[in-house]
Amino acid sequence: MQENLQIKQHGVEVREESFLQGVKDCIPTLLGYLSIGFAAGVLGKTSGLSVTEITLMSLLVYAGSAQFIIAGMVAANGSASAIIFTIFFVNLRHLLLSAALSPYFRHLSPLKNMLIGSLLTDETFGVAMAQTANKTYISDRWMHGLNITAYLNWVIANIAGAFLGQWITDPQKFGLDFALPAMFIGLLVLMMVSRAKVAVDIVVAVSAVVIVVGVSLLTSGSVGVIVATIIAATIGMVVEKWK
């Protein structure tokens, strides 16, 4: 129970890692979940999906970019195989996200790791990586609090968007499409501040931007993101060891 106590030892603050603390740490990302989830519900409704279909999609797919693509391809009468193939490649980055976090959950059983990985998103990954600073493992209770809070808010926002979508025909008119990038910028700044390795982070960021733009010109944006993540992370590791 010691990990659930928030105490100060030798001047170093030991953060609480309970389920409730995971819920609290998710709060800064909720505005992003609510706004993007609402936009996904509205877009699904305007593309012709029913409230039930939008709800099931938010429960089972649980991925903003994937749901936007599905809604667009459904509106364009895309085939089921084309939708599945596209979504598979768009979400391949989750392999990298899970691989990056897996060392911090080695103390858990495969079933518990599967439960954590099934609800992992870009946003909860960002919050979890900030939590890994100076640690060798993360509490599964804290991670469940973070994941489940994000999941419930996403589903609720999708349902709200589906019900109100009939009155909102253009989500971009209200600036909802900027909510996701704004949230990621906030998470990135918080992570860079907590790491206190600004020079290495800048090298990695510049490398990633150059690589993703270059690769995206030759292939797809999704492939560019995956290639840039692998190469930029390798560059960051080499630079950090070289210093």
Side-chain angles (χ1 to χ4, degrees), residues 38 41-42 45-46 51 157-169:
F38 185 80
V42 171
K45 189 66 178 178
T46 55
V51 174
N158 270 258
I159 295 174
F163 274 110
L164 300 175
Q166 56 186 316
W167 295 292
I168 303 175
T169 57

Side-chain angles (χ1 to χ4, degrees), residues 167-232:
W167 295 292
I168 303 175
T169 57
D170 186 7
Q172 294 183 356
K173 183 179 179 181
F174 299 92
L176 295 177
D177 51 322
F178 288 107
L180 189 61
M183 183 180 61
F184 278 125
I185 291 172
L187 290 173
L188 177 62
V189 171
L190 290 175
M191 186 181 299
M192 291 178 68
V193 170
S194 64
R195 281 167 45 86
K197 298 178 181 177
V198 177
V200 178
D201 290 340
I202 291 176
V203 170
V204 172
V206 172
S207 303
V209 170
V210 172
I211 295 168
V212 76
V213 171
V215 176
S216 298
L217 292 174
L218 301 174
T219 60
S220 67
S222 300
V223 174
V225 170
I226 294 171
V227 173
T229 302
I230 295 173
I231 297 178

